[in-house]
Amino acid sequence: MRIVFVASEGVPYSKTGGLADVVGALPKALAGLGFDVEVLLPRYRMTKPGRAIPSMQSVTLPLASGYRYASIQEGGEAHGVHAYLVDLPSYFNREGLYQEKGQDYPDNAERFAAFSLAALEFVKRAATPPDILHCHDWQTALVPIYLRNLYAEDGFLSRTSVVFTVHNLGYQGLFPPHILPHISLHAGLFTIDALEYYGKVNFLKGGIVFSDFVTTVSRKYAEEIQTPEYGCGLEGVLKSHADRLQGILNGVDYDAWDPATDKLLPANYTPENLEGKKACKKALLEKMGVQALVLSRPVIGIVSRFAAQKGFDLIADIAERLAELDLTIVALGTGEPVYEELFRTMAAKYPGKFLVKVAYDNTLAHQIEAGADMFLMPSRYEPCGLNQIYSMKYGTVPIVRATGGLDDTIEPYDGKTGTGFKFSEYSAPALFKVIHQALEAFRQPKAWQRLMLTGMRKDFSWTSSAKQYAKIYQTLSKEKSKSKPATEAAGS
Ligand code: ADP
Ligand code: GLC
């Protein structure tokens, strides 16, 4: 079975967040189950192809504003997965992926329309059509929209199904209605049953409506998004598609995230021998500029996009009280200026207490996972969250809000069993209380070590989740083969 992943970011070619980790790892797990898997990504400025390979082919994009041409390059092959890069320099050879200096690129609709058309033209070049196009988030939601509209009469693709994964409902791809003709979509799609959403065109909504199956990245988030509190205005659409909506928990690529083998750490360690973790803590504090090391003092790590989703307003509310406690906070992130400012201010006011780097730095992200004692994720909502799962593997105890994937992955510590600390009410006092509980528990070294080891021994590899995706692909493919034969569909 031929599966083509179409996504706006993927490790090792491009990354802003967890989507890239998933697109880097799930195809590998699916290839391991025997599927033919290809991954198609834009070629950004940050994209470094495995080797310099000339363009394989060029595709013509039927954009209403005029034909454009994109070249498709081979990105390389790893673990049986072939990666291809869409090279359209005027759209993708830029500093950022989606924005610069906090501002979305004004031509994002055209950029991802071009990419989505390139994906469809690319798959049409092969001898056999893909059984499944697996698309992700608003940036590739246009693939199913085009497939069921602009390409509705295309016989070659008539047997192709689309699986659409929502990684984050908070980003929907909203554009003014006049965008439709520019991206080769007819105005008739601007209805409540299709792309219309409070007077705007909503790409994500179209992705949900026109795909054959919708998934999201945890069981709990799949439930939450059908409620007004978490549905971001799409709860009605999601509810009406509930019979083809499933939450599948993200897995972890332990080739990249395992303290026993992680090459980005100053020392490695395992559940059987934790000595290396102490060395990681010392090296982390030194790297962050701490002069007088107190290794017994608890370190709380944060690695995050600085976005409202992640609960930083709660941290802002309790920052002064945290500064009074015997702890160190190490934070790494970039994003909304207000939160970058918050961490810079706290670092300036309480040097040695708040150690902050405002940047995107993959090496430091791994070193914080290893060097911290606890990891904080007080998210307002969290579709899955990967850092709390990485933290468990690194023996770094997560402190999380019980929402979405955070709730599904962390079992509350009761003094004996469990893997972390959870709070439910989205409030500063509730957050402060749970941090306090974690600090209390940290004072019992033996029990704390047991808690660390329980997390380290959990298995969140992709195997079981990849099988759930496989089942969906197989069901869809069976359904298609029962429907009209390709030739008949082409002529209809
Ligand atoms: P989200 O996708 O919402 O940002 P996840 O927890 O799923 O949240 O994934 C975040 C991923 O991005 C993790 O791999 C994390 O290490 C990485 N990450 C986030 N911010 C940074 C940063 N400033 N530097 C390096 N890696 C980061
Ligand atoms: C999104 C979500 C995050 C999830 C990631 C990968 O960015 O915010 O919770 O882990 O996608 O699915």
Side-chain angles (χ1 to χ4, degrees), residues 31 201 233 238 274 278 323 331 352 405 468:
V201 166
L238 287 158
L274 290 167
K278 288 187 197 143
Q468 295 181 57

Side-chain angles (χ1 to χ4, degrees), residues 144-145 148-149 162 189 194-195 205-212 244:
I145 299 171
R148 302 295 169 228
N149 293 281
V162 181
L189 283 170
L195 304 186
K205 180 178 173 185
I208 295 165
V209 170
F210 289 108
S211 293
D212 298 281
R244 48 185 193 87

Side-chain angles (χ1 to χ4, degrees), residues 77-399:
E77 187 268 343
H79 308 278
V81 178
H82 288 268
Y84 298 96
L85 304 167
V86 173
D87 195 26
L88 245 172
S90 62
Y91 279 152
F92 297 116
N93 184 7
R94 299 185 186 177
E95 208 42 48
L97 270 54
Y98 318 122
Q99 50 167 253
E100 246 169 77
K101 299 192 182 84
Q103 292 294 313
D104 285 349
Y105 290 123
D107 57 353
N108 270 347
E110 290 92 336
R111 294 172 77 222
F112 290 101
F115 176 62
S116 301
L117 289 170
L120 288 164
E121 291 298 323
F122 166 70
V123 297
K124 283 183 64 175
R125 295 296 181 91
T128 49
D131 298 280
I132 306 288
L133 285 167
H134 191 154
C135 303
H136 304 262
D137 281 351
W138 73 264
Q139 293 90 340
T140 53
L142 283 173
V143 172
I145 299 171
Y146 283 135
L147 186 63
R148 302 295 169 228
N149 293 281
L150 196 60
Y151 289 76
E153 305 297 318
D154 192 304
F156 185 76
L157 294 173
S158 66
R159 294 278 190 86
T160 298
S161 302
V162 181
V163 174
F164 184 61
T165 298
V166 176
H167 294 261
N168 194 331
L169 209 60
Y171 302 86
Q172 302 186 352
L174 297 178
F175 302 97
H178 64 73
I179 198 74
L180 286 176
H182 292 281
I183 56 173
S184 308
L185 289 174
H186 59 86
L189 283 170
F190 195 63
T191 66
I192 187 126
D193 299 328
L195 304 186
E196 194 272 342
Y197 173 88
Y198 298 103
K200 293 213 165 116
V201 166
N202 185 325
F203 283 10
L204 193 83
K205 180 178 173 185
I208 295 165
V209 170
F210 289 108
S211 293
D212 298 281
F213 203 91
V214 180
T215 70
T216 186
V217 289
S218 68
R219 189 197 49 77
K220 178 96 185 253
Y221 193 59
E223 279 170 15
E224 287 174 339
I225 57 179
Q226 296 179 56
T227 67
E229 192 185 348
Y230 291 95
C232 302
L234 291 179
E235 58 276 8
V237 181
L238 287 158
K239 247 190 147 131
S240 67
H241 290 82
D243 59 333
R244 48 185 193 87
L245 167 69
Q246 189 178 329
I248 302 178
L249 191 71
N250 285 333
V252 170
D253 182 358
Y254 288 125
D255 291 344
W257 295 94
D258 181 349
T261 51
D262 192 331
K263 291 192 178 62
L264 302 173
L265 303 185
N268 293 112
Y269 57 94
T270 60
E272 291 69 41
N273 183 353
L274 290 167
E275 275 312 301
K277 185 159 173 75
K278 288 187 197 143
C280 289
K281 181 170 180 178
K282 182 165 178 284
L284 173 66
L285 292 171
E286 282 168 354
K287 183 171 181 170
M288 298 303 288
V290 174
Q291 309 270 318
L293 287 178
V294 185
L295 288 176
S296 56
R297 180 177 293 155
V299 170
I300 302 184
I302 296 173
V303 178
S304 185
R305 288 183 296 111
F306 286 164
Q309 170 200 345
K310 302 291 181 180
F312 290 114
D313 52 339
L314 296 187
I315 296 181
D317 283 352
I318 60 166
E320 298 288 338
R321 288 176 74 195
L322 287 177
E324 288 165 10
L325 300 177
D326 185 32
L327 54 74
T328 305
I329 292 186
V330 181
L332 167 68
T334 51
E336 290 174 26
V338 46
Y339 301 121
E340 292 190 352
E341 199 45 43
L342 164 74
F343 281 106
R344 282 203 186 98
T345 307
M346 293 310 286
K349 202 164 163 191
Y350 302 103
K353 273 270 155 91
F354 280 79
L355 310 174
V356 173
K357 183 166 180 189
V358 176
Y360 185 88
D361 182 340
N362 184 47
T363 302
L364 185 58
H366 284 247
Q367 293 170 347
I368 292 175
E369 287 291 3
D373 297 297
M374 303 163 201
F375 196 93
L376 185 59
M377 293 179 78
S379 304
R380 184 181 283 277
Y381 73 92
E382 195 61 73
C384 178
L386 292 168
N387 278 121
Q388 82 282 10
I389 316 182
Y390 301 155
S391 296
M392 278 189 272
K393 187 72 177 173
Y394 284 71
T396 302
V397 177
I399 304 173

